[in-house]
Amino acid sequence: MKLIIKFFAEVTIKSPQVRKRFVSQLRKNLKVLLRAIDPEIRLTGTWDSLEVVVGDDTAVQTQVLERLKNTPGINHIHEVREYPLGTIEELGQLCAELFADQLTGRTFAVRCKRVGNHPFTSNEVARDVGAYLLTHTDVSGVSLKEPEVTVQVEIRQQRVFLIRARHEGIGGFPLGTMEPVLSLMSGGFDSTVASYQMLQRGILPHFVFFNLGGRAHELGVRQVAHYLWEKYAASHRLRFISVPFEGVVAEILQNVDNSQMGVVLKRMMLRAASRIAHRRGFHALVTGEAIAQVSSQTLPNLAAIDQVCDMMVLRPLITTSKTEIIRTARRIGTEAFSSSMPEYCGVISVSPDIHTNVRKVEAAEAGFDFSVLDEAIEQATSTDCCDLELEMDGSEVETVEQALTGQVVLDIRAPDEEEARPLELEGVEVLKVPFYQLSSRFAELDAARAYLLYCEKGVMSQLHAQYLLDQGHDNVRVLRLPRR
């Protein structure tokens, strides 16, 4: 099977020097990707297009097409038959042999693209081949405006390509033609789509994840990051950096005014991300924020968030609707990951300030112990995205719907949430242990007792129970009560 790769339109209009660099980078990327599928695959071409020759193994052919369709820089791929250039009549005969079944009873048109010096024009080829097909096949007629079948012919010097099928690519610029960035990744719809849009534009997005909920939280985000890398960026080495942020959340909950919590958390994330990016030579930060999607994403709040960062912050989704973001996630294959990702926010303001300013936020941060943030950054771990598919070992958390006598229920909700809706269970002991204190206080509890972790939605309890199980505490389950 022969494939002809057509470049993204914006690549073809670059200056000769830039276009040469972009095509060279795409060629390098494809060599890496195709070698991983089959070392015998041949890749040729330079300026106008690239050609790929694949063996007869249909499984390999399918893998190659799938890989090319998801490689940034490729606009579309033509699946072709190649012949030496002969006479126009011989070309008509080849078209009749190849397209006869498709043409029967249908209207058609012939389109010709030609590169090189020939004694005929492209229009003459289309006219004469069309006339041949009209008299030598069972077509119903010619329709130049809306044909049911389009016979595509490409002539390059002394070679003829008859296009059997066209496969759409994702467009964009080849990976590696732009500088690397650090993308703040939560695994939800927004951050995932924002990272994809960087990939599509030829930018290498390394991922930074701020872990607010232990192993289970990280496991889901690792899966999303690995998917993006494997499907769209496997030609390059990308890093997944995990920053333990539970201590930062606890410090915010204990020492920051409630109305400013969300903005302060985002400022802490940008502070950490920018320091990591500077250390690793990344040129910008990327977030999935969109105007007014949540309280921290108003213009005043975003301005206050950006004030802590001396690095460019890219927000590719800034004016994109949630509907469009989800539609994109569906198209790129991340919807299933993001829709099943628990929404975990360690800082939930009861009455968030949607029109804050730097002065108010700095006052709110006055009691924050920044050594906690420093420690979180120093404890960050980095993993190659190619290794993210490796399972994080651990037992699965058991969920129960009723607490039994003798068991202890740990209400891990934040104090404001717990005070607004107190948990009272007849005949069952209930202890109030906010989630940000759980990891330190659990070791002080009686190891002989059985503990059930409780929160309103069952998300934080699931995540923290998983963390405790991973620490070797097998006396932990999750309590999920019917909605009250």
Side-chain angles (χ1 to χ4, degrees), residues 85 114-118 120 155-160:
L85 177 62
R114 188 176 55 84
V115 177
N117 296 317
H118 304 97
F120 47 76
I155 299 174
R156 291 178 172 273
Q157 305 300 343
Q158 297 304 307
R159 297 187 298 166
V160 174

Side-chain angles (χ1 to χ4, degrees), residues 67-270:
R67 179 57 73 188
L68 295 179
K69 288 190 292 184
N70 294 302
T71 298
I74 297 176
N75 191 67
H76 61 272
I77 308 103
H78 282 152
E79 188 177 340
V80 305
R81 289 279 182 87
E82 180 183 352
Y83 305 92
L85 177 62
T87 65
I88 300 298
E89 183 176 359
E90 290 172 337
L91 180 55
Q93 292 173 354
L94 291 173
C95 290
E97 293 173 4
L98 187 61
F99 297 106
D101 291 342
Q102 297 178 42
L103 292 170
T104 300
R106 307 174 77 182
T107 60
F108 79 103
V110 178
R111 314 287 190 215
C112 177
K113 180 179 179 181
R114 188 176 55 84
V115 177
N117 296 317
H118 304 97
F120 47 76
T121 66
S122 298
N123 285 337
E124 288 172 342
V125 173
R127 181 196 65 200
D128 293 346
V129 170
Y132 186 93
L133 294 175
L134 194 59
T135 58
H136 290 79
T137 63
D138 295 327
V139 295
S140 65
V142 175
S143 174
L144 297 181
K145 290 186 176 181
E146 296 183 355
E148 295 177 273
V149 178
T150 299
V151 176
Q152 292 181 287
V153 179
E154 192 165 312
I155 299 174
R156 291 178 172 273
Q157 305 300 343
Q158 297 304 307
R159 297 187 298 166
V160 174
F161 298 106
L162 301 185
I163 300 171
R164 302 182 60 194
R166 171 177 167 137
H167 306 275
E168 298 301 321
I170 64 173
F173 293 144
L175 280 177
T177 54
M178 304 294 168
E179 291 74 16
V181 298
L182 187 60
S183 184
L184 280 66
M185 169 67 76
S186 70
F189 287 104
D190 302 340
S191 62
T192 303
V193 172
S195 297
Y196 166 79
Q197 292 193 350
M198 294 295 103
L199 287 167
Q200 190 186 33
R201 204 62 184 170
I203 299 171
L204 292 171
H206 299 263
F207 307 110
V208 61
F209 162 62
F210 294 99
N211 194 335
L212 309 179
R215 171 190 180 273
H217 192 195
E218 180 168 340
L219 179 58
V221 182
R222 283 163 62 105
Q223 291 172 338
V224 178
H226 179 267
Y227 174 87
L228 283 176
W229 167 80
E230 196 281 329
K231 192 170 184 68
Y232 301 107
S235 57
H236 287 73
R237 181 188 181 193
L238 297 185
R239 304 293 294 179
F240 179 87
I241 300 164
S242 178
V243 185
F245 237 52
E246 278 189 314
V248 174
V249 170
E251 189 65 21
I252 291 173
L253 288 169
Q254 292 175 349
N255 297 305
V256 173
D257 178 76
N258 187 285
S259 66
Q260 304 297 326
M261 285 181 175
V263 171
V264 170
L265 177 62
K266 293 292 182 67
R267 282 163 61 96
M268 296 301 169
M269 288 179 175
L270 277 198

Side-chain angles (χ1 to χ4, degrees), residues 341-379:
M341 189 72 61
E343 290 190 13
Y344 183 91
C345 183
V347 173
I348 303 174
S349 298
V350 176
S351 299
D353 187 345
I354 61 174
H355 294 95
T356 194
N357 56 54
V358 173
R359 179 184 56 78
K360 289 195 289 186
V361 178
E362 288 180 343
E365 290 179 344
F368 186 91
D369 181 0
F370 278 88
S371 67
V372 176
L373 180 64
D374 296 337
E375 183 180 359
I377 296 171
E378 294 306 315
Q379 291 179 351

